Amino acid sequence: RALLPVRVLFLCTGNSARSQIAEALTQQLSDGAVDAVSAGSAPKPLDPNAVRVLAERGIDIAHRGSKHLDEFAGSRFGYVVSLCDRVREVCPEFPEHPDLIHWSVPDPGREGSYHAFQRALAEIGTRVGFLLERIDARRVTAS
């Protein structure tokens, strides 16, 4: 029996860099086992440095737009991950009480340098790896 993909929602204020990076890395690293999406509480256009840093890893997000978290109201997720402190305070309730996880990742757009985006990518990549291990462990014990 095939397991359905686990759904994960990544949130940050602008949905312009951090949550988009987390969504893209999760999709790539889970090989489709995780259905990752992202949104923001005050969406801004996708940051060109986020597009560039992911392109260097072979991930194309240039076609993606930013989404408002209201688009996912009422949706079911296994995990909801906030990547900034501001969005954590306004995160709505989701059905079936998903695991709420908070990663306080500095906003690379605030510093603005390409190096800041590389650091954010590295930090988010490490955290996504741990999240995928947690999801795998839970799936093994549940089946």
Side-chain angles (χ1 to χ4, degrees), residues 27-83:
Q27 289 170 341
Q28 182 190 55
L29 296 172
S30 74
D31 232 7
V34 175
D35 176 17
V37 292
S38 67
S41 57
K44 297 188 302 197
L46 202 54
D47 192 299
N49 280 321
V51 174
R52 184 176 153 209
V53 80
L54 284 167
E56 289 179 357
R57 289 209 36 171
I59 304 171
D60 179 13
I61 66 162
H63 61 283
R64 292 191 184 167
S66 299
K67 300 165 292 300
H68 194 281
L69 62 83
D70 287 352
E71 285 185 41
F72 298 102
S75 297
R76 288 176 164 69
F77 294 97
Y79 300 83
V80 175
V81 182
S82 56
L83 287 100

Side-chain angles (χ1 to χ4, degrees), residues 106-109 111-121:
D107 180 3
E111 182 181 312
S113 75
Y114 185 63
H115 185 66
F117 283 83
Q118 291 173 312
R119 280 196 315 269
L121 175 76

Side-chain angles (χ1 to χ4, degrees), residues 12 18-19 21-22 81-85 102-108 110 116 119-125 127:
C12 67
R18 292 169 289 183
S19 54
I21 290 169
V81 182
S82 56
L83 287 100
C84 73
D85 299 331
H102 180 63
W103 301 341
S104 190
V105 177
D107 180 3
R110 197 166 269 155
R119 280 196 315 269
L121 175 76
E123 180 175 346
I124 293 167
R127 291 172 183 259

